[in-house]
Amino acid sequence: MSEIRVSIIVPAFREGENIKLLTEGIFKALSAKNLDKVTELIIVDDNSKDKTVEVVQQLKSKYPVRVIVRTTERGLSSAVLRGFSEAKGRYLLCMDADLQHPPQSVPDLIESLEKGNEFVIGTRYGGGSLSVDKDWPMHRIIISKGARALARPLTPLSDPMTGFFGITRPAYQRAIQNGINPIGFKIALEMYVKARIKKHGEVSIVFGVRHAGESKLTGAVIINYLKHLVELYSFALPLLLPILLAVALVLLYVLYKILV
Ligand SMILES: Nc1nc2c(ncn2[C@@H]2O[C@H](COP(=O)(O)OP(=O)(O)O[C@H]3O[C@H](CO)[C@@H](O)[C@H](O)[C@@H]3O)[C@@H](O)[C@H]2O)c(=O)[nH]1
Ligand SMILES: [Mg+2]
C-alpha cells in the first residue's frame, strides 16, 4: 500500500448502523480523486454496545479502516484527540459518523490543505446564512447561532461550531504544545485557537439529518461549551475576558431587575 497522506478520524458512540454507509461514501468520494490509496479511516468508539466493531471487521477486507475501542474514557473531543495521536497522515481530518457531514466533501477539505491552508472547515454558513436540512429542528438552529455568536471574537471561521474539519500535522503539533483541552464537543474551535492558525480554508456543505441513531448533544454539552469558551478567551484574549464577564454580570443584573 502507498504511504498514508491523509487520516480521517471519526468519533463514534452507538453509531453501528452508520459506519458501513459512511465508510463506503468516504472511499467512493476519495477514489474519484485518486486519494483512496493514501488515506486511512480511524473510528474511535467508546465501547458502544452495538455492532460497531463487527461492522468495521467486515469492512476491513475492502477498505483501510480500523476501530479503536476506548473502555475507560468518554467524550467526543478526547476521542478525536486519541485518533489524531494514532494517525499516520500529514493531513488530519475529523468528521461525524452519522452522515450529517457529507462524505462527498472530504476530497475538497483535503485539497484545501494541499493548497497551503493549515486548517479547513466544512461550513454550513458558506452562503452567508445557516445551510441545514429543512428537517433540522428550530431549537438546534437557535442554539447553533447563539453558540456561534459567542465565539465570534475568537475566530474568523464562518462556522466555528462545525465538527467537520482538517488540520496539517505541523499545526496540530503546535496546538498540542499549547495544551489541548479535551472538554466537550468543540474540538475544531479548540484546535483553531490553540494552533494560532493564520491561514484557513472553508468548504461549503449542507448539514444533513442524522442517518440512524440519536444525537448525543445534551444540556451538559452546552454547559461544557460555556466553560470551554472561558478557557479559550483566557488563552487567546486574556484582556477581553474580564470585560466580557463584567458585561455578562451587568446583563444578568438588568434581567434580574426586569423580571423580579
Ligand atoms: N467516541 C465518542 N464519540 C462521540 C461521543 N459523543 C458524541 N460522539 C460522536 O460525535 C459525533 C457527533 O455527535 P452527534 O451526537 O451526532 O452530535 P450533533 O448533535 O449532531 O452535533 C454535530 O453538530 C454540531 C454542529 O451543530 C457539531 O459541532 C458537532 O461536532 C457535531 O458535528 C457522532 O459521530 C457521535 O457518535 C462520545 O462520548 N464518544
Ligand atoms: Mg449528529
Side-chain angles (χ1 to χ4, degrees):
M1 184 168 173
S2 328
E3 192 194 346
I4 295 295
R5 275 198 354 250
V6 181
S7 300
I8 304 175
I9 310 305
V10 174
F13 186 60
R14 298 184 185 146
E15 303 286 6
E17 290 179 67
N18 295 321
I19 300 295
K20 185 167 185 279
L21 262 188
L22 178 81
T23 305
E24 289 170 350
I26 290 174
F27 282 98
K28 185 173 174 214
L30 288 170
S31 71
K33 301 278 176 177
N34 285 327
L35 286 164
D36 52 324
K37 301 284 186 291
V38 295
T39 303
E40 62 174 350
L41 174 61
I42 304 176
I43 315 287
V44 187
D45 172 73
D46 286 357
N47 210 15
S48 306
K49 301 284 180 239
D50 65 6
K51 298 270 182 225
T52 300
V53 173
E54 287 87 335
V55 172
V56 175
Q57 291 310 335
Q58 283 164 13
L59 290 166
K60 260 185 154 162
S61 58
K62 204 162 166 208
Y63 303 102
V65 55
R66 66 193 166 101
V67 60
I68 297 169
V69 179
R70 304 192 306 169
T71 52
T72 53
E73 271 177 286
R74 267 292 311 270
L76 191 162
S77 292
S78 64
V80 174
L81 291 175
R82 172 69 186 276
F84 279 180
S85 76
E86 298 205 16
K88 300 192 189 80
R90 190 177 346 146
Y91 303 123
L92 308 170
L93 265 61
C94 175
M95 69 191 295
D96 292 351
D98 56 9
L99 292 143
Q100 287 191 274
H101 297 149
Q104 61 272 25
S105 297
V106 167
D108 294 339
L109 266 70
I110 298 169
E111 190 189 348
S112 175
L113 295 175
E114 279 178 331
K115 276 186 178 158
N117 289 312
E118 46 183 6
F119 193 85
V120 60
I121 54 164
T123 175
R124 298 164 296 174
Y125 290 87
S129 58
L130 181 62
S131 172
V132 291
D133 187 281
K134 61 178 177 18
D135 290 334
W136 226 48
M138 182 50 80
H139 74 277
R140 283 300 305 262
I141 293 176
I142 293 167
I143 292 173
S144 176
K145 289 191 172 177
R148 177 180 183 243
L150 290 173
R152 239 317 122 250
L154 289 168
T155 171
L157 295 176
S158 70
D159 192 354
M161 300 300 108
T162 186
F164 191 21
F165 71 99
I167 186 168
T168 61
R169 186 166 284 280
Y172 159 70
Q173 279 160 347
R174 245 175 17 240
I176 295 289
Q177 275 158 16
N178 283 328
I180 287 280
N181 179 358
I183 189 174
F185 264 37
K186 299 303 147 200
I187 186 66
L189 178 60
E190 173 74 12
M191 288 274 177
Y192 180 91
V193 172
K194 294 288 171 71
R196 298 194 193 279
I197 296 291
K198 296 274 183 302
K199 197 168 173 241
H200 80 271
E202 302 203 344
V203 171
S204 293
I205 61 160
V206 175
F207 190 63
V209 282
R210 166 175 274 282
H211 172 66
E214 282 171 12
S215 171
K216 283 89 203 173
L217 187 103
T218 59
V221 170
I222 295 168
I223 301 290
N224 270 339
Y225 174 63
L226 297 176
K227 288 187 194 158
H228 189 188
L229 279 183
V230 171
E231 202 260 344
L232 286 177
Y233 273 101
S234 63
F235 174 82
L237 299 166
L239 296 178
L240 200 58
L241 185 63
I243 299 169
L244 287 174
L245 287 176
V247 171
L249 281 176
V250 171
L251 283 176
L252 281 176
Y253 179 74
V254 171
L255 267 179
Y256 172 80
K257 281 290 179 194
I258 293 171
L259 296 173
V260 182

